[in-house]
Amino acid sequence: MRYLSLVPGLFLSSMALADTPVLTVLTYDSFVSEWGPGPAVEKAFEADCACDLRFVGAGDGAALLARLQLEGTASEADIVLGLDTNLTAAATATGLFAPHGATPKLALPVAWNDPNFLPFDWGWFAFVGNAGRDYPTDFKALAASDLKIVIQDPRSSTPGLGLVMWVKAAYGDQAGAIWADLADNIVTVTPGWSEAYGLFLEGEADLVLSYTTSPAYHLIAESDAGKVALPFTEGHYLQVEVAGKLAGTDQPALADRFLQFMLSPAFQDVIPTTNWMYPATETALPDGFAAMIQPATSLLLSADDAQAARDAAVEEWRAALAR
Amino acid sequence: MARRAGPLTPVWPGLVLAALVALAVTAPLAALLARAGTAAPGPADWAALRFTLWQAVLSTLLSLICAIPLARALARRRFPGRDALVLLLGVPFVLPVIAGVLGLLAVFGRNGWINAGLAAVGLPALSPYGLQGILLAHLFFNLPLVTRMLLQGWQAIPAERLRMAESLALTPRARFAHIEGPMLRAVLPGAAVVVFTLCLSSFSVALILGGGPGATTLELAIYQAFRFDFAPDRAAVLGLLQLTLVGTAGLVALWLVPAAQAEASRGRVLRHWGGGRGFDAAIITIAALFLSAPLVAVLLRGAPGVVDLPPSVWRAAALSVTLSVVVAALVVIMAGGIALAALRFPLLEITALPGLALSPLVLGTGLFLLVYPRLSPEALALPATVLANTLAALPFALRLILPRLQQAVADHGRLAASLGLSRGIWFARILWPALRPAIGLAAGVAAALAMGDLGVIALFADADRATLPLQVMRLMGSYRSDAAAAAALVLVAISLTLFWACERVTRDA
């Protein structure tokens, strides 16, 4: 019965900290992983908040919203971090979020005036592959090639949703036809970005939907220049990742403090080399980022347009891939 | 007249337990019906239904086609390692699905052993994802089951018939028509419908290898309705579809399959007959490789990482062991109690049957609808997991325990009553020894299956609390394949140990 001796350990961690206030941040898995921003952010924030910052990973970004609705007002979360502009309108409509009331100085490629959500980083979606071969330069050529790609489910993952919006923004009414042509290139559809990127690194696919900045990870963290992001002539869809405070939080002051901290150098400085995205404020970038491709055209639907287009676009995607 | 402690076969506890089981089944169902209301399934739901049926039909055909020559070869050939191979056929039954899938990916993945071989001779790569991946995994898990059922069929053919066939010098075709054909016609329908039912409610396999819109089963669609869309109405509609489907198939299975065989016979080897020695050898070799390679892959890939596993994996393991021990104890208590009452009221056995049709995700959906939003879904995760696993194991346990109990009472009941044995002595000296092997097997299977279960927990678990199978899946998801393999190896070891321990300590002396 040695196993039983392990059981008390399950409860120790939460009991020991019962006295200090706990700020619970619901976020996506890769943010909390040990190589993601989570550990550094936690350390920096806890250094002077006299609190316990708890990150709870719950799948990928789009699943966060469903998770929140599942928990409703019973949710223990104080902050949700990791939605993007394709989801902010839907998130606002749940009535679960509170206004942030802040007017921070931002460095985004788009203007920012969302009353409920604050951005913490941004990037361009792109397909990422191994260097050393010729790759297609648009969706049509990709669909015509025999390259194998792995993508994420738009219902659970913000990159997956971003790709659907990308195709929609670039092709409009023809988006369904593009998806039908892409269907035979898709090895599998994963619930989140981590799973997809993992399959790509394992060699299960030639390309993975990720970001223009993903090769920087391999370049900086692994001194490996062997990964490239593919520039597409249609332009690249933008993702602005955001966080918001829940109306039902029992730590409103601490939550506001965290949102403020989120746009301070202590948080923003670690973003490029842990989340491998562009920071949301004026921040010096590490060397490797200069080598990343810079899309000439950015595509982005406004939060309201994205909300209006989302259900139909996802259904178009589903129907094309179900065949 | 000696004073007795009470009737030798108490009925009340069993009636209460049966009532509890009935409540545990009907309440979530009522919640599903109420929530689904008049909502109709949409195109995506029908697509999930079609895919569920289609993959189950293909998986079943594939399993039968492969199992027939394998069982035939095993029935008539004697070779070194035959016993080990027959033992290997029992492993997938208690093997956690996620560990099996992980092993299959290592063998059949694009960087796996098979594709390395294909690439070496210039052939295109195979992908283990989508329909073909699901079929492959279902073959891995069901081929052994069908093979064992058929092997028993072949071994049940009377030896004198085979001798007669030999002395009459029947052609292979005539021998098949007169001897093997009738056996296959008797055994195959039952085997087919069991495999079909299992494949209908397959969740973990579809979760890892399927997932895209083209490869979504109903179970997976329920999961997605919860975790992706938060659409309890759709989950309820999908749950009712799935319930109807599996319930129908389950009833047919029950009707076609004879009472569960408690002991899988390692069995005698039939006299060698017929030619095709080379064919048999090839079939046996391929099957042995197919069934053992994924296990070897998990072992090779996982072993180096076991010592470095993060504490979260060990916490998950402790939680899973606790859960599976609780499930095993509950299953034995409930099956024992209901079996005692069923001596008087035979129809009570029926109360356990919905456990066959109620998939964990359907049950989980129903429970969620019952308690939401009064309780948070996390609070539901562990109780619902225990309940789902207990209900699933109950029919199986009853089928093992009840016949032995009936036999024991028929053999000794009257004598014990006339001797005025106390209830304590009756239970300790008569019933326990008679029921011990059945109880052990039931507990072992229940514990092993609960250990490897990835169902309700995936629906509700929060980030902090995970069972070991869920932890394996999370490690796979965060591209830590080596840690995932190591955790899967731990999972396999614990599952097999639990099964072996339960079965071992209660085996007939």
Side-chain angles (χ1 to χ4, degrees):
Chain A
M1 286 282 93
R2 273 180 38 236
Y3 299 111
L4 284 180
S5 64
L6 292 170
V7 175
L10 294 175
F11 307 107
L12 278 182
S13 54
S14 52
M15 270 161 54
L17 297 159
D19 290 345
T20 42
V22 178
L23 186 73
T24 306
V25 178
L26 192 64
T27 185
Y28 50 83
D29 286 336
S30 61
F31 194 91
V32 282
S33 68
E34 53 199 274
W35 55 91
V41 166
E42 185 176 346
K43 202 166 155 222
F45 189 63
E46 284 178 353
D48 62 356
C49 77
C51 72
D52 174 27
L53 177 61
R54 236 177 109 242
F55 282 113
V56 174
D60 203 336
L64 293 179
L65 195 56
R67 167 67 178 263
L68 211 56
Q69 288 170 287
L70 187 74
E71 297 178 346
T73 47
S75 178
E76 283 178 16
D78 302 298
I79 298 262
V80 174
L81 183 148
L83 302 175
D84 69 10
T85 52
N86 292 326
L87 290 168
T88 45
T92 303
T94 64
L96 293 167
F97 288 90
H100 53 73
T103 48
K105 197 167 171 296
L106 299 170
L108 293 179
V110 289
W112 195 258
N113 49 19
D114 190 308
N116 290 307
F117 296 96
L118 285 170
F120 61 91
D121 66 14
W122 63 279
W124 285 284
F125 292 117
F127 285 97
V128 171
N130 290 310
R133 58 193 280 189
D134 284 335
Y135 284 112
T137 53
D138 60 32
F139 279 107
K140 286 184 172 163
L142 176 62
S145 75
D146 56 2
L147 290 169
K148 293 295 173 198
I149 64 177
V150 51
I151 63 171
Q152 302 85 359
D153 195 312
R155 296 165 298 175
S156 55
S157 157
T158 56
L161 182 57
L163 177 62
V164 168
M165 292 306 193
W166 185 2
V167 174
K168 193 75 202 166
Y171 286 95
D173 293 344
Q174 292 173 40
I178 295 286
W179 279 115
D181 292 344
L182 276 173
D184 61 349
N185 298 85
I186 297 170
V187 177
T188 189
V189 178
T190 64
W193 174 87
S194 310
E195 291 92 336
Y197 210 77
L199 289 179
F200 163 66
L201 292 182
E202 291 264 304
E204 296 288 345
D206 301 309
L207 296 170
V208 58
L209 178 76
S210 192
Y211 298 89
T212 56
T213 43
S214 300
Y217 161 73
H218 302 280
L219 193 62
I220 297 171
E222 300 180 335
S223 308
D224 168 17
K227 301 283 186 286
V228 291
L230 279 51
F232 270 22
T233 53
E234 294 99 336
H236 289 245
Y237 200 80
L238 264 179
Q239 180 180 40
V240 181
E241 293 197 288
V242 303
K245 175 176 72 164
L246 287 169
T249 174
D250 54 354
Q251 300 287 349
L254 204 51
D256 285 336
R257 186 167 168 183
F258 179 82
L259 290 179
Q260 208 180 356
F261 164 79
M262 186 176 83
L263 291 167
S264 72
F267 184 110
Q268 292 288 309
D269 285 351
V270 299
I271 286 296
T273 51
T274 53
N275 223 24
W276 305 97
M277 298 280 280
Y278 293 106
T281 59
E282 204 65 60
T283 305
L285 290 171
D287 283 346
F289 271 65
M292 299 297 108
I293 60 164
Q294 292 283 328
T297 316
S298 295
L299 304 172
L300 181 67
L301 296 178
S302 73
D304 290 333
D305 289 349
Q307 172 68 354
R310 188 166 56 114
D311 284 354
V314 169
E315 177 54 29
E316 205 170 49
W317 167 87
R318 193 204 63 74
L321 266 59
R323 267 184 233 127
Chain B
M1 191 173 172
R3 210 165 58 86
R4 287 201 283 121
L8 290 180
T9 54
V11 169
W12 284 113
L15 287 179
V16 172
L17 290 172
L20 283 177
V21 170
L23 182 71
V25 169
T26 46
L29 278 189
L32 277 182
L33 276 170
R35 184 69 185 240
T38 53
D45 307 331
W46 291 122
L49 176 69
R50 275 196 305 276
F51 180 76
T52 306
L53 284 168
W54 177 231
Q55 60 83 18
V57 167
L58 290 180
S59 299
T60 308
L61 286 178
L62 207 58
S63 298
L64 296 187
I65 290 169
C66 297
I68 293 171
L70 176 59
R72 192 168 191 254
L74 282 172
R76 63 179 181 172
R77 301 288 170 209
R78 202 169 310 167
F79 55 92
R82 181 181 177 280
D83 283 356
L85 183 56
V86 175
L87 201 64
L88 181 69
L89 289 176
V91 171
F93 185 58
V94 289
L95 183 73
V97 175
I98 189 146
V101 172
L102 206 73
L104 285 169
L105 282 176
V107 177
F108 293 93
R110 204 156 160 216
N111 269 353
W113 301 346
I114 297 287
N115 278 324
L118 288 178
V121 292
L123 285 170
L126 300 170
S127 167
Y129 292 96
L131 179 62
Q132 68 266 38
I134 292 176
L135 294 184
L136 183 75
H138 283 165
L139 181 64
F140 174 77
F141 283 100
N142 294 318
L143 172 66
L145 184 70
V146 183
T147 305
R148 279 173 81 123
M149 289 173 92
L150 289 177
L151 190 54
Q152 283 172 8
W154 251 293
Q155 285 167 346
I157 296 175
E160 42 285 10
R161 278 216 202 163
L162 294 172
R163 261 200 300 280
M164 187 144 76
E166 212 161 302
S167 64
L168 290 173
L170 289 185
T171 61
R173 181 180 296 214
R175 191 178 53 233
F176 187 85
H178 293 292
I179 297 175
E180 300 174 281
M183 183 282 291
L184 287 176
R185 271 197 295 280
V187 178
L188 277 183
V193 76
V194 166
V195 172
F196 184 72
T197 314
L198 289 173
C199 293
L200 284 182
S201 40
S202 166
F203 170 65
S204 312
V205 166
L207 179 66
I208 301 165
L209 299 177
T216 300
T217 60
L218 281 172
E219 289 277 286
L220 187 57
I222 295 175
Y223 170 82
Q224 292 173 342
F226 258 103
R227 300 295 298 222
F228 295 4
D229 303 327
F230 185 64
D233 298 355
R234 263 197 70 216
V237 171
L238 288 163
L240 288 178
L241 278 181
Q242 170 75 353
L243 186 75
T244 316
L245 202 62
V246 181
T248 312
L251 282 179
V252 176
L254 220 57
W255 173 59
L256 281 175
V257 183
Q261 295 284 319
E263 288 84 19
S265 64
R266 200 159 301 169
R268 65 203 168 88
V269 181
L270 301 178
R271 291 169 52 85
H272 297 200
W273 84 85
R277 187 179 295 268
F279 178 74
D280 281 357
I283 288 285
I284 289 170
T285 310
I286 292 171
L289 286 175
F290 175 61
L291 294 175
S292 61
L295 298 175
V296 173
V298 170
L299 185 67
L300 290 182
R301 189 148 189 203
V306 170
V307 285
D308 297 326
L309 277 175
S312 58
V313 168
W314 297 111
R315 278 202 301 273
L319 180 64
S320 280
V321 170
T322 313
L323 281 181
S324 55
V325 169
V326 169
V327 166
L330 275 178
V331 165
V332 168
I333 290 168
M334 301 193 82
I338 293 176
L340 281 172
L343 289 174
R344 186 93 53 88
F345 306 105
L347 280 179
L348 271 188
E349 195 186 352
I350 293 176
T351 50
L353 292 187
L356 292 177
L358 210 55
S359 77
L361 274 91
V362 174
L363 183 74
T365 308
L367 289 173
F368 169 81
L369 294 174
L370 277 180
V371 303
Y372 184 77
R374 286 178 291 275
L375 276 178
S376 85
E378 283 90 64
L380 202 60
L382 299 184
T385 302
V386 168
L387 185 63
N389 279 287
T390 306
L391 288 180
L394 202 52
F396 175 77
L398 262 180
R399 285 209 145 194
L400 285 175
I401 291 173
L402 189 54
R404 284 201 176 226
L405 180 66
Q406 283 163 337
Q407 189 68 45
V409 171
D411 289 351
H412 310 291
R414 199 167 290 194
L415 181 66
S418 71
L419 289 175
L421 285 188
S422 77
R423 205 195 274 183
I425 291 184
W426 162 248
F427 272 87
R429 294 286 170 79
I430 312 276
L431 285 192
W432 170 245
L435 298 182
R436 207 170 57 177
I439 287 178
L441 189 60
V445 170
L449 294 191
M451 187 74 208
D453 175 57
L454 179 64
V456 186
I457 194 78
L459 217 47
F460 300 131
D462 54 26
D464 297 343
R465 215 169 357 181
T467 59
L468 192 48
L470 187 61
Q471 198 64 27
V472 172
M473 205 187 88
R474 286 180 177 168
L475 287 170
M476 284 171 76
S478 48
Y479 54 91
R480 301 182 58 191
S481 316
D482 290 332
L489 182 60
V490 172
L491 178 62
V492 172
I494 297 177
S495 295
L496 295 185
T497 307
L498 278 172
F499 176 73
W500 176 82
C502 288
E503 206 249 2
R504 179 79 199 205
V505 295
T506 54
R507 190 179 288 170
D508 280 321

